[in-house]
Amino acid sequence: MSDVAHAAGVSVATVSKVVNGRYGVSASTLARVQEVIAEMGYETSLGARSLRSHRTNVLGILVAEFEPFSTELLKGASAAVAATGYELLAYSGGGGSADPGWERRYLSRLSGTLVDGAIIVTPTVMDADPGIPVVAVDPHTGPSGLPTVDSDNTAGAFMATEHLLGLGHRRIAFLGGRPDLESARLREQGFRQAMARAGVPVDEELVAVGGYRPDSTAGPARALLTAAEPPTAVFAANDLSAITVVDVARDLGLRVPQDLSVIGFDNVPESALASPPLTTISQPLQEMGAQALLLLVDLVAGRDTPTHLRLPTELVVRSSCAPPR
């Protein structure tokens, strides 16, 4: 502020009035100070701003790591924040998603001095008062006391399985997500409901845990595809796992979809770019991010908000599924 005052030929107090929008500054002086601020690239410290007004006008979106799912949510939140008057801070502490309690540590670093509220993406546990408004997106344990945004995992998994059944598949493998995640449990539930509705028994030898990550999916995928009675189709509980199944199938000399049909879940951009393009269940990920952001804005403003938003899923048919040979 001293540098701005010197360059503009005014007092530090005048600069302070301009920065904080207070009265007592002529129009010409206001314009001159704002011009110097723009030329010098001056910005107020978030920490100092929060000490003075107890608000930073910044919202945070906190993730365990930046991967396709969280990146799509971030795109939606970033688009929605433009019309709110808030700024958006995306933060990852560099920890892995298997590190329970990461969101507590992140919030303790950011709340109160850097952000006025936070969106937490796939939180593991949120049983402590964070001290600021918080919205959870797709929490590990499902909706709790926090306002929550998620998608209809059960219906989506039902559609995926029904699509494979409709093509004539009966030996359908399910490659699930992490067992501690509510989304993984619901997707397996939808798979089993569709199989039961069709009167097709689930072969438990064809049910495996992939863990949602390529490095943890490759082994179970290879075991499924090299079984004595292998599946003719695989429903993988997320797109990254499904793409890994396609890669493993190719390594084994199997063609997708001629020899093996594969369907995923999420509809991240990588699914459309896969070879072949992946049939999948679309979560409205960007819309989930946008809705979480708008919900958080209402919370910070003290307005009444819904405690749970569940958005619909839909089938996206591409080239990775075909009738069994």
Side-chain angles (χ1 to χ4, degrees), residues 5-221:
H6 178 74
V10 299
S11 68
V12 172
T14 297
V15 176
S16 178
K17 287 180 180 179
V18 172
V19 168
N20 292 291
R22 294 198 294 266
Y23 296 107
V25 181
S26 69
S28 60
T29 300
L30 175 66
R32 173 61 182 151
V33 171
Q34 289 177 334
E35 180 183 0
V36 170
I37 286 173
E39 289 173 354
M40 299 182 72
Y42 171 80
E43 283 292 342
T44 56
S45 160
L46 289 179
R49 192 194 306 174
S50 69
L51 288 172
R52 182 174 58 251
S53 66
H54 304 291
R55 294 287 294 274
T56 66
N57 221 42
V58 176
L59 303 176
I61 180 163
L62 281 57
V63 300
E65 58 182 330
F66 292 109
E67 37 70 42
F69 178 88
S70 62
T71 300
E72 288 302 297
L73 292 168
L74 179 58
K75 289 177 185 176
S78 179
V81 79
T84 67
Y86 284 91
E87 299 170 26
L88 186 64
L89 172 69
Y91 182 84
S92 170
S97 58
D99 181 16
W102 59 267
E103 58 283 321
R104 291 174 177 160
R105 294 190 299 278
Y106 293 11
L107 280 172
S108 69
R109 293 169 190 160
L110 301 180
S111 62
T113 56
L114 289 178
V115 298
D116 296 332
I119 299 167
I120 316 291
V121 178
T122 61
T124 54
V125 288
M126 280 302 301
D127 55 3
D129 182 4
I132 57 172
V134 169
V135 174
V137 176
D138 199 22
H140 280 211
T141 56
S144 60
L146 290 176
T148 302
V149 178
D150 61 17
S151 69
D152 197 335
N153 289 287
T154 305
F158 190 98
M159 279 189 286
T161 311
E162 194 173 51
H163 179 66
L164 295 174
L165 289 164
L167 290 171
H169 294 279
R170 293 299 179 264
R171 288 195 60 75
I172 302 174
F174 176 74
L175 192 57
R178 282 174 45 187
D180 61 323
L181 301 188
E182 177 75 351
S183 63
R185 186 187 69 79
L186 293 175
R187 290 173 198 182
E188 181 172 350
Q189 177 178 293
F191 162 73
R192 291 182 179 276
Q193 287 178 354
M195 295 288 278
R197 176 77 64 86
V200 178
V202 173
D203 184 344
E204 298 301 333
E205 296 296 319
L206 298 183
V207 177
V209 175
Y212 281 157
R213 302 172 67 93
D215 55 356
S216 59
T217 296

Side-chain angles (χ1 to χ4, degrees), residues 238-258:
N238 77 336
D239 287 343
L240 296 185
S241 298
I243 292 169
T244 300
V245 171
V246 174
D247 291 340
V248 171
R250 186 176 295 115
D251 289 344
L252 294 172
L254 298 173
R255 299 167 300 163
V256 176
Q258 294 91 335

Side-chain angles (χ1 to χ4, degrees), residues 214-306:
D215 55 356
S216 59
T217 296
R222 184 172 293 271
L224 288 171
L225 299 185
T226 56
E229 296 184 60
T232 62
V234 177
F235 170 28
N238 77 336
D239 287 343
L240 296 185
S241 298
I243 292 169
T244 300
V245 171
V246 174
D247 291 340
V248 171
R250 186 176 295 115
D251 289 344
L252 294 172
L254 298 173
R255 299 167 300 163
V256 176
Q258 294 91 335
D259 302 318
L260 178 75
S261 289
V262 180
I263 190 168
F265 200 112
D266 282 342
N267 198 29
V268 296
E270 287 81 352
S271 64
L273 300 175
S275 179
L278 186 68
T279 295
T280 187
I281 297 299
S282 177
Q283 293 193 82
L285 296 176
Q286 293 192 23
E287 179 65 14
M288 289 166 64
Q291 289 298 323
L293 189 284
L294 298 175
L295 190 58
L296 182 59
V297 169
D298 285 342
L299 282 174
V300 171
R303 294 188 284 268
D304 290 336
T305 59

